[in-house]
Amino acid sequence: MSAVQPRQQTLEEAYSEPANFLEIDVVSAKTHGFGRQRYTDYEVRMKTNLPIFRNKESTVRRRYSDFDWLRQELERETKILVPPLPDKALSRQLPWVGEKDGLFNDDFIEERRKGLEIFINKVAGHPLAQNEKSLHEFLQAPEIDRNYTPGKVRAR
C-alpha cells in the first residue's frame, strides 16, 4: 500500500488572497480633552472578504467604553462566551495618582491598545459573533447607535 504524497503548493497559491479573511487592527491611540473630560480613543481598521460584512474595509475610532459596550451587548444577546477586556485600571484613576502613572501614561495606553486588539480579534473571529448587529455596528458605523435594534445580520 503506497502512501499518498502531498502536492506541493504553487507560488500563486501561497501568495494569493485567502478564501476567507478578516483582519482587524487597533492602532493610532489619541488622547483628547483636558482634565476630567480627557479620554483616549483608538483607530479600529477592518479588512475582510467575508460576505456577511456590508463594507469590505472600514476605519472607525473607538474608546474603551465602546469596546465595553460591545462586550455587554454580546453577553446579553448571544450565547457566545465573550473574552474579557483588558483591565479597567481603576487604580490609575485615583486622585493622588500622578500624570506619569495615570490613565494617559504612554506605556499603559500601548498595553491597553494591544489588549483591545486581542479582544476584538477573538470576538470577530467567532463565527456566531460575525452575525451579530452589535459587532457590525462597532466595526463599521462611524458613530455607535446605542439604541440600535439587536439581532442577526444576513449575508449579502
Side-chain angles (χ1 to χ4, degrees):
M1 181 181 255
S2 65
V4 175
Q5 295 297 319
R7 181 179 68 82
Q8 190 161 13
Q9 190 176 38
T10 67
L11 280 175
E12 187 175 304
E13 291 169 335
Y15 292 101
S16 65
E17 189 175 276
N20 289 312
F21 74 91
L22 175 62
E23 298 171 2
I24 302 173
D25 297 311
V26 177
V27 297
S28 185
K30 286 187 182 165
T31 299
H32 309 271
F34 298 97
R36 297 187 56 73
Q37 301 300 315
R38 203 167 178 198
Y39 66 93
T40 301
D41 67 9
Y42 305 84
E43 189 174 283
V44 179
R45 295 179 187 160
M46 183 204 72
K47 285 180 77 172
T48 188
N49 65 355
L50 295 174
I52 194 77
F53 288 96
R54 180 180 67 241
N55 301 328
K56 300 309 174 197
E57 291 187 30
S58 64
T59 301
V60 295
R61 293 206 70 84
R62 298 290 184 247
R63 297 171 65 161
Y64 180 91
S65 59
D66 297 326
F67 285 85
D68 192 38
W69 170 84
L70 175 62
R71 183 187 57 75
Q72 289 177 31
E73 287 297 303
L74 291 172
E75 285 180 345
R76 188 181 57 160
E77 296 297 329
T78 70
K79 302 216 181 311
I80 298 167
L81 181 60
V82 183
L85 280 167
D87 195 355
K88 190 112 170 110
L90 296 175
S91 64
R92 289 182 173 272
Q93 300 176 44
L94 298 171
W96 58 83
V97 174
E99 182 86 13
K100 67 180 179 68
D101 296 320
L103 283 177
F104 305 105
N105 171 281
D106 289 343
D107 292 337
F108 171 72
I109 289 172
E110 176 58 14
E111 283 303 307
R112 180 175 266 186
R113 183 202 65 75
K114 288 176 186 175
L116 293 172
E117 186 171 78
I118 290 167
F119 167 80
I120 193 61
N121 276 286
K122 284 181 178 178
V123 166
H126 194 294
L128 295 177
Q130 291 171 4
N131 295 326
E132 292 299 319
K133 285 185 180 177
S134 56
L135 179 65
H136 290 250
E137 184 78 16
F138 179 88
L139 289 173
Q140 300 191 318
E143 298 291 324
I144 293 176
D145 175 7
R146 293 175 191 260
N147 296 317
Y148 84 111
T149 304
K152 306 288 184 220
V153 174
R154 297 182 199 276
R156 298 183 186 271

